[in-house]
Amino acid sequence: MTTWVRACDAANIENEDVICFNYQAKTYALFRSQEDPYFFCTDGYCTHEDVHLAEGLVMGNISECPGHNGQFDYRTG
């Protein structure tokens, strides 16, 4: 059974951007792709640094960690 959680209004996040989303004591990064209206959600913190991904850059489908500039495709991890 899939449970959906309302994270934000679509207007709260621009295309090709990321915001922070907290739910049940966990922090997530919520991405909106450049191919509207696709949304993706990952763990909020970089696996290499204790830095929130929402503070980094999004270029196309690539997220860049603000702590060490590591990049990953948020659609696939």
Side-chain angles (χ1 to χ4, degrees):
M1 179 178 181
T2 302
T3 302
W4 291 93
V5 175
R6 183 177 177 84
C8 69
D9 288 332
N12 293 123
I13 181 169
E14 302 210 9
N15 287 15
E16 200 174 5
D17 203 2
V18 59
I19 63 170
C20 176
F21 171 64
N22 296 310
Y23 179 72
Q24 292 187 347
K26 255 195 97 135
T27 298
Y28 300 91
L30 180 61
F31 297 88
R32 184 173 187 171
S33 75
Q34 59 189 356
E35 298 92 16
D36 192 40
Y38 297 105
F39 294 87
F40 298 84
C41 190
T42 67
D43 190 283
Y45 290 98
C46 175
T47 58
H48 301 102
E49 303 273 338
D50 192 23
V51 178
H52 202 286
L53 295 172
E55 297 173 10
L57 298 174
V58 177
M59 300 152 290
N61 296 317
I62 303 299
S63 175
E64 182 175 281
C65 172
H68 72 292
N69 300 327
Q71 297 180 346
F72 71 97
D73 187 324
Y74 59 77
R75 300 169 303 168
T76 61

